[in-house]
């Protein structure tokens, strides 16, 4: 796959291309603009693969590409977009690069399925169709982020002279639905809890009795939990704080039903561990739909909407439920909010001084469900 690199003694971007024999060649693009240099690298790799047995023609082809233009017929949008996302890995954090990669991979797969094989077919109408496709299984905020990433990629394509203008620039954003997330009601827990099995049972009880976020829990490994001392430790990605909490008995019992405890390095929830953040949320929403607790009666990916797209209930509702249960049991507001990891500075100061016995005494007051 074509890529770029910097050399200490050169002000130009150097292209790294791989031929049909698997051997890599490097050369200076003679360009300082990264977007243009990357487009040259992609086209050069394609030229190299077309001219098997005649590598001496590569330099001539490169000179022509750099000095004049890059024909849009030489590069198909799905391939170029994936290579663009790969090139961003050196510029952004690993977490951001993963978001770029996932979004661009989804866009490339959709474009391929839609027959968008040249940049000339990349129109505003197609971008609107892609936006609507994403909206089938994602909320408005997620779709807005995906479109922002895609616009960034296509801006690079414009700079590389693959496009005259950005077809995603004028695609209207989705209207964000005003939805208030709330806690689970007792009658809703009575419906949901008996239906829980496998990983979601463990995830549910951890979420309910710790108040921690879905993605922080989904990435736990068995070394994070001490079943003897009944404690659990994790890092809250949103705040960067390291959290150590007592493990309530209902959560401990649910975790005992899970396999894999003999290997401390193995994920506690291997199925969820391998999912993207959005896929985890959608999976829980589908679970809620399956027991009648989601507003939309359609599975993810259907033509009419995603499960729980505008429901007041989601995994985050367990944070609200945990807080409500603690406060209803007589635990002070500051301690209840500190246990679930509230982000405010005032609560953080309180939380810093909470010892394990204080938290365990508070959490033991929570009722079993």
């Amino acid at each position: 796959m074509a890529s770029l690199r910097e050399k200490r003694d050169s002000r130009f971007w150097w292209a790294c291309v791989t031929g049909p024999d698997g051997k890599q060649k490097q050369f200076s693009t003679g360009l300082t603009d990264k977007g243009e240099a990357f487009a040259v690298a992609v086209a050069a790799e394609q030229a190299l693969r077309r001219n098997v047995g005649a590598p001496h023609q590569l330099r001539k082809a490169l000179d022509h590409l750099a000095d004049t233009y890059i024909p849009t017929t030489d590069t198909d949008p799905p391939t170029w977009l994936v290579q663009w996302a790969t090139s961003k890995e050196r510029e952004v954090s690993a977490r951001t690069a993963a978001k770029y990669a996932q979004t661009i991979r989804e866009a490339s797969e959709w474009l391929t399925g839609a027959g968008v094989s040249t940049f000339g077919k990349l129109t505003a109408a197609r971008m609107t169709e892609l936006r609507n496709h994403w909206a089938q299984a994602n909320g408005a905020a997620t779709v807005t982020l995906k479109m922002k990433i895609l616009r960034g990629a296509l801006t690079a394509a414009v700079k590389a002279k693959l496009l005259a203008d950005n077809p995603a620039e004028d695609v209207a954003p989705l209207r964000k639905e005003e939805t208030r997330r709330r806690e689970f009601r007792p009658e809703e827990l009575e419906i949901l809890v008996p239906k829980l099995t496998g990983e979601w049972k463990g995830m549910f009880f951890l979420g309910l009795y710790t108040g921690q976020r879905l993605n922080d829990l989904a990435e736990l490994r068995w070394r994070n939990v001490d079943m003897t001392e009944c404690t659990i430790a994790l890092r809250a990605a949103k705040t960067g704080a390291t959290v150590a909490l007592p493990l309530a008995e209902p959560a401990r019992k649910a975790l005992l039903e899970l396999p894999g405890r003999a290997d401390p390095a193995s994920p506690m929830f291997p199925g969820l561990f391998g999912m993207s953040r959005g896929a985890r949320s959608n999976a829980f929403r589908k679970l809620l739909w399956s027991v009648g607790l989601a507003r939309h009666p359609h599975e993810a990916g259907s033509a009419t909407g995603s499960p729980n797209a505008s429901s007041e209930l989601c995994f985050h509702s367990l944070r609200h439920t945990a807080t409500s249960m603690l406060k209803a049991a007589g635990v002070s507001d500051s301690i209840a909010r500190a246990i679930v990891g509230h982000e405010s500075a005032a609560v953080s100061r309180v939380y810093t001084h909470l010892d394990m016995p204080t938290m365990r005494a508070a959490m033991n007051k929570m009722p079993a469900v």
Side-chain angles (χ1 to χ4, degrees), residues 325-336 339 361-363 365:
M325 289 171 62
L326 286 164
K327 291 163 68 174
V331 176
S332 71
D333 181 72
S334 60
I335 292 179
I339 288 174
M363 295 173 70
K365 296 179 180 181

Side-chain angles (χ1 to χ4, degrees), residues 201-202 205 227 247-258:
K201 183 175 182 179
F205 279 99
M227 301 296 280
L247 188 63
E249 184 61 15
R252 189 186 75 86
K253 287 182 177 179
L255 294 184
L256 286 173
E257 298 179 16
L258 297 175

Side-chain angles (χ1 to χ4, degrees), residues 77-320:
T79 300
W80 190 90
L81 287 169
V82 170
Q83 292 177 327
W84 173 84
T86 301
S87 75
K88 303 299 288 184
E89 292 177 357
R90 296 177 57 193
E91 302 176 16
V92 298
S93 68
R95 185 172 177 178
T96 300
K99 289 181 181 178
Y100 282 14
Q102 178 185 343
T103 297
I104 294 303
R105 181 173 61 253
E106 292 173 0
S108 297
E109 290 174 354
W110 185 87
L111 290 171
T112 298
V116 182
S117 57
T118 67
F119 279 91
K121 297 180 179 180
L122 206 56
T123 63
R126 283 298 196 190
M127 294 298 92
T128 301
E129 290 176 17
L130 175 55
R131 182 208 64 185
N132 294 342
H133 166 74
W134 273 329
Q136 292 176 9
N138 298 276
T142 300
V143 174
T144 297
L145 176 59
K146 289 179 182 293
M147 289 301 297
K148 181 180 179 180
I149 293 171
L150 183 58
R151 278 195 299 273
L154 296 179
T155 295
V158 171
K159 291 181 178 179
K161 299 182 177 64
L162 293 169
L163 286 167
D165 49 37
N166 191 331
E169 196 64 44
D170 296 325
V171 176
L174 293 176
R175 179 176 61 83
K176 186 175 182 180
E177 296 182 4
E178 295 295 330
T179 302
R180 184 185 69 85
R181 302 304 185 190
R182 63 168 175 80
E183 70 274 10
F184 283 89
R185 301 185 180 106
E187 60 270 22
E188 292 168 337
L189 292 176
E190 290 178 4
I191 293 172
L192 178 60
V193 171
K195 303 294 184 181
L196 295 170
T197 59
E199 293 186 15
W200 275 122
K201 183 175 182 179
M203 281 290 294
F204 172 86
F205 279 99
L206 269 186
L208 181 62
Y209 285 97
T210 67
Q212 300 306 302
R213 295 178 176 84
L214 170 60
N215 291 299
D216 292 335
L217 296 176
E219 295 176 7
L220 287 171
R221 298 179 186 272
W222 283 108
R223 59 172 171 253
N224 293 101
V225 63
D226 187 328
M227 301 296 280
T228 302
E229 297 296 326
C230 293
T231 59
I232 188 167
L234 56 87
R235 182 179 180 277
K238 186 171 183 178
T239 64
T242 299
V243 179
L245 293 170
L247 188 63
E249 184 61 15
R252 189 186 75 86
K253 287 182 177 179
L255 294 184
L256 286 173
E257 298 179 16
L258 297 175
R261 295 195 307 277
D263 181 5
S266 66
M268 293 173 65
F269 309 101
L272 295 168
F273 186 87
M275 289 184 180
S276 67
R277 298 168 68 87
R280 293 166 185 161
S281 296
N282 286 337
F284 187 73
R285 289 167 178 163
K286 185 175 180 180
L287 173 62
L288 292 177
W289 166 77
S290 71
V291 296
L293 296 180
R295 183 171 301 176
H296 281 291
H298 304 287
E299 295 188 26
S302 70
T304 51
S306 62
N308 205 37
S310 60
S311 173
E312 295 176 329
L313 294 175
C314 61
F315 194 88
H316 197 80
S317 297
L318 294 176
R319 285 173 63 81
H320 300 302

